[in-house]
Amino acid sequence: MPNAFNFSASPFDCLTTDEQRLVRDSVDVVYYPEGDIILDVGDAPTHLFVIIKGYVTQLEGDEVITTYAPDDTFDGRGLVAGKTSSRFVAQEEVVAYQLARQTVTDLIASNATFGALLFSDLSNKLIALSQRQSQHELQSLTLSRVDEAFVRPPHFVDSDTDVLSVVKVFQAQRTASVLVRDTSTTPERLGIFTAKTLQRAILSGTPLDQQPVGPLSNFELITIQPSDQVGDALALLMRHRVHRLVVSDGARVVGVLEALDLFSFLSNHSHLITVQVEAATDIAGLAQAATQITRMVTTLYRSGTRVSLIARLVQDLNARLFERAWQLIAPADLVANSCLFVMGSEGRGEQLLKTDQDNGLILRDGYTPPDNLDAICLEFSQALAAFGYPECPGHIMVSNPMWRKSAYEFGQMVQQWLLMPDADSLMNLAIFLDAHPVCGDAHLLAHAQQALMRLATDSDAMLARFAASIDAFGQSQGWWNRLLGLDDQKGLHLKKEGIFPLVHGVRSLALAEHLQETSTIDRIDALVVKSVITPALAADLTQTLHFLMGLKLKAGLTEMDTQQAVSGLVDVAKLSTLERDLLKDALGVVKHFKGLLRSRFKLDAL
């Protein structure tokens, strides 16, 4: 056979030298003229095909499912199943390698990754890819286990131990914290006393040898398991604003993970950004911190950190940034009597690179805001623009009076969206469903969201109109041509083709079920609990969303490296064979999901 077989293309790039030799010894070359049916429905395939030249179209009935290009492989699933479920037609003259079924079976038996990449669904392909990367690439430190970082041994005292004795433990054990056992409760509870708490004990005026540590201890411990990833520990520290985590395997306390120890272990600077944000005394100081966020995202992504964790860190950092900016700009009484919230991808915790502002403000009923509220809100919007968050083209910002109202007025506006569901109302409803608090009294937003769900109608007509936005960007019947570069478009718009219909489809199901979760992943999990979608579909939707987010981030970082504006387009010519294969599967999941939504909401009847 020819020596030109491309072993750098997926799934053959995971084969060992001996497995590659087996392929070379077994493969043949075949030719099909344009229009030939290579495999038909019900055929029992005898070979796996790898395209050398030309394109092959996969059809179910008259509907085109996808198109295969040079270096693509088909029909692995049919070969394993023993029966082809689609028709494969030569779109133009096709030259291909064919690999005998027995050879493929031997490769699958000897190489699990090859089998997963060949015929598994998207979830298993991405799991296999992750396992392969862990074998061949340096893992990001954020992917390390917690017990691989420096976990300090635990030191226990009883709750009636006096503070002076605990200070002696601090000195003897060279530690800044002890775990406090309180046996007066059932079950026994565990708290923590730290060197910082010692200040309170000293300032109380009571002699330290007469003060028990129990009343001074914090019994609301934040825990993490030894097998959890370091990145998850980092997110917990930031979210709860604590300096240490108790490491527990469930049955026993393993130790204490100190923030400083974790940060010395990590290679990213998210903690430093948080410190810089909280220490800033003016907008200029915040702007310096804001510039570090994108740099952190770049470092984390290119070091292998999973996209879901990056998104969580970005959401937490942005929340700190927006909160501090609002505190610097707004008077203290306005901050205390309002709730500043974000929406869109920021609200869902799915933003990676800076996008348009989407925020609002709910004022407490009965509170009289400052006379210069307009100027305050405008200054905030301008500050975010200076941080790199462009103004929203639709003016969905606190500087727009429509998006800053009293709690009562907000409730009335939400009710109008539901009772008069025109296009603008449904758009505003979709935006508000993703709202997430960042500063002030979060209960104000929670009450508005609860009121929305109480008012939410079960009207099939309204829900159908709401869900119909999954096709807001038009039918995408030719996405495979853009994927393969067979039309005139310069790239594939991942948000339009995949991310938006997935996110809005999940949001539509969540609204129909009156769910209050705001992130897409949390909504997916809740929909599984309510048996609205299957666990298998949930896994595919989750993996698809994260894959598309990662691919979009990669394309955006490439554009930034070349001083181009971030467009949201993926240059299909620069995709690897594996990325193109995964993208086909991901868009296939979205297509299947849209079909389920059309059936659920009877969209074809609109």
Side-chain angles (χ1 to χ4, degrees):
M1 70 138 266
N3 291 323
F5 192 96
N6 185 5
F7 286 105
S8 65
S10 175
F12 297 95
D13 55 344
C14 66
L15 298 182
T16 65
T17 301
D18 289 341
E19 291 164 348
Q20 289 181 9
R21 185 179 301 111
L22 174 62
V23 171
R24 289 194 183 96
D25 293 342
S26 308
V27 78
D28 291 318
V29 176
V30 291
Y31 166 80
Y32 296 95
E34 180 179 349
D36 257 24
I37 298 177
I38 301 173
L39 290 170
D40 207 345
V41 177
D43 286 351
T46 57
H47 293 83
L48 179 71
F49 296 92
V50 184
I51 299 175
I52 302 172
K53 175 181 177 294
Y55 296 89
V56 173
T57 300
Q58 179 181 356
L59 301 102
E60 289 185 2
D62 295 328
E63 182 182 5
V64 176
I65 301 302
T66 189
T67 301
Y68 297 88
D71 287 332
D72 284 350
T73 300
F74 73 96
D75 173 38
R77 296 184 185 183
L79 191 70
V80 172
K83 183 178 180 180
T84 300
S85 58
S86 303
R87 187 187 316 118
F88 295 84
V89 180
Q91 186 173 327
E92 56 184 50
E93 286 187 330
V94 171
V95 179
Y97 293 113
Q98 63 176 16
L99 196 59
R101 177 173 184 162
Q102 185 57 52
T103 301
V104 175
T105 301
D106 292 342
L107 291 173
I108 292 173
S110 64
N111 192 317
T113 302
F114 175 82
L117 293 175
L118 179 63
F119 64 87
S120 292
D121 55 24
L122 179 67
S123 298
N124 288 326
K125 283 185 178 181
L126 289 173
I127 290 171
L129 177 61
S130 174
Q131 291 171 343
R132 184 177 64 176
Q133 288 173 334
S134 69
Q135 296 167 1
H136 299 292
E137 298 176 4
L138 179 64
Q139 287 285 323
S140 163
L141 288 177
T142 56
L143 297 176
S144 302
R145 289 167 52 107
V146 164
D147 56 10
E148 292 175 354
F150 180 48
V151 177
R152 295 178 181 268
H155 301 286
F156 297 91
V157 299
D158 293 329
S159 60
D160 58 358
T161 305
D162 64 84
V163 174
L164 182 61
S165 298
V166 171
V167 172
K168 292 178 180 179
V169 174
F170 283 174
Q171 184 177 26
Q173 301 297 332
R174 294 186 178 183
T175 184
S177 66
V178 294
L179 297 177
V180 180
R181 293 192 181 101
D182 183 3
T183 58
S184 66
T185 64
T186 304
E188 174 182 313
R189 62 176 181 162
L190 191 66
I192 192 166
F193 180 88
T194 69
K196 185 177 180 179
T197 317
L198 178 61
Q199 299 175 12
R200 289 169 47 203
I202 295 173
L203 293 174
S204 71
T206 303
L208 298 183
D209 61 352
Q210 297 178 21
Q211 286 192 67
V213 295
L216 297 168
S217 301
N218 176 16
F219 289 90
E220 295 181 0
L221 298 180
I222 308 301
T223 63
I224 193 166
Q225 295 184 0
S227 59
D228 287 343
Q229 293 180 352
V230 164
D232 294 324
L234 176 64
L236 280 175
L237 287 170
M238 293 176 61
R239 179 168 293 115
H240 295 282
R241 302 190 188 194
V242 294
H243 299 287
R244 52 188 58 82
L245 302 172
V246 174
V247 183
S248 171
D249 62 6
R252 65 185 182 91
V253 172
V254 177
V256 176
L257 180 63
E258 299 273 359
L260 289 177
D261 296 331
L262 177 61
F263 298 137
S264 66
F265 180 80
L266 289 169
S267 59
N268 73 78
H269 304 289
S270 55
H271 173 64
L272 299 179
I273 298 174
T274 302
V275 171
Q276 192 173 359
V277 166
E278 297 188 347
T281 57
D282 53 31
I283 296 302
L286 282 180
Q288 293 178 0
T291 61
Q292 303 298 319
I293 295 178
T294 299
R295 188 176 304 171
M296 182 202 75
V297 170
T298 303
T299 301
L300 289 176
Y301 178 72
R302 289 177 174 166
S303 64
T305 305
R306 66 188 191 273
V307 167
S308 58
L309 175 56
I310 298 175
R312 285 172 55 192
L313 293 176
V314 169
Q315 184 184 38
D316 288 339
L317 286 173
N318 283 345
R320 299 282 189 273
L321 182 70
F322 299 164
E323 177 186 36
R324 187 59 182 147
W326 184 242
Q327 289 170 341
L328 289 173
I329 293 170
D333 69 308
L334 175 57
V335 173
N337 288 281
S338 66
C339 178
L340 178 71
F341 59 91
V342 293
M343 296 171 283
S345 58
E346 184 70 62
R348 297 191 304 273
E350 295 160 14
Q351 179 177 302
L352 295 168
L353 297 177
K354 294 182 174 72
T355 57
D356 298 341
Q357 299 179 38
D358 283 312
N359 48 57
L361 185 71
I362 299 179
L363 303 169
R364 194 184 310 278
D365 288 335
Y367 168 70
T368 302
D371 293 337
N372 63 336
L373 180 62
D374 284 352
I376 293 171
C377 291
L378 178 60
E379 184 180 354
F380 178 75
S381 295
Q382 291 173 338
L384 295 195
F387 297 162
Y389 301 88
E391 292 190 359
C392 174
H395 301 289
I396 303 170
M397 303 179 293
V398 294
S399 55
N400 179 355
M402 174 182 170
W403 289 97
R404 61 169 194 268
K405 296 178 181 292
S406 68
Y408 174 78
E409 291 171 331
F410 238 105
Q412 292 297 302
M413 182 169 65
V414 169
Q415 185 175 15
Q416 184 177 9
W417 292 342
L418 292 167
L419 297 178
M420 302 179 63
D422 56 24
D424 288 342
S425 294
L426 292 175
M427 179 191 71
N428 292 332
L429 178 61
I431 293 168
F432 184 67
L433 282 171
D434 296 340
H436 178 77
V438 294
C439 189
D441 187 352
H443 291 96
L444 294 172
L445 176 62
H447 291 158
Q449 292 171 322
Q450 291 165 6
L452 186 156
M453 288 304 169
R454 286 196 300 268
L455 293 169
T457 176
D458 292 324
S459 166
D460 290 340
M462 190 281 284
L463 290 172
R465 292 193 62 193
F466 184 79
S469 293
I470 60 172
D471 293 320
F473 297 111
Q475 296 293 332
S476 304
Q477 298 300 320
W479 61 260
W480 55 86
N481 285 332
R482 291 191 288 283
L483 178 58
L484 298 172
L486 299 179
D487 67 2
D488 296 331
Q489 291 199 23
K490 295 182 179 179
L492 190 72
H493 202 296
L494 289 180
K495 179 178 179 180
K496 294 181 179 180
E497 302 288 357
I499 295 175
F500 176 80
L502 189 158
V503 167
H504 187 65
V506 170
R507 181 164 48 209
S508 300
L509 291 173
L511 177 61
E513 296 296 326
H514 298 207
L515 300 177
Q516 294 190 30
E517 285 78 4
T518 56
S519 85
T520 302
I521 302 305
D522 288 345
R523 286 168 173 163
I524 288 173
D525 292 341
L527 290 169
V528 171
V529 171
K530 294 184 71 95
S531 300
V532 176
I533 60 176
T534 65
L537 177 58
D540 278 346
L541 292 175
T542 299
Q543 295 283 9
T544 293
L545 177 61
H546 289 157
F547 173 73
L548 294 177
M549 287 170 59
L551 207 57
K552 184 170 178 280
L553 173 60
K554 179 181 178 181
L557 293 177
T558 299
E559 289 175 322
M560 292 172 60
D561 288 343
T562 55
Q563 307 301 312
Q564 300 178 58
V566 176
S567 66
L569 295 174
V570 170
D571 186 347
V572 294
K574 295 182 180 179
L575 292 176
S576 68
T577 306
L578 177 58
E579 287 173 330
R580 191 171 63 203
D581 181 43
L582 292 172
L583 182 53
K584 284 181 184 178
D585 283 350
L587 294 177
V589 168
V590 174
K591 182 177 180 180
H592 172 66
F593 184 48
K594 289 173 71 174
L596 294 178
L597 292 169
R598 289 194 182 93
S599 175
R600 164 64 177 82
F601 294 108
K602 300 179 175 61
L603 300 186
D604 293 335
L606 293 180

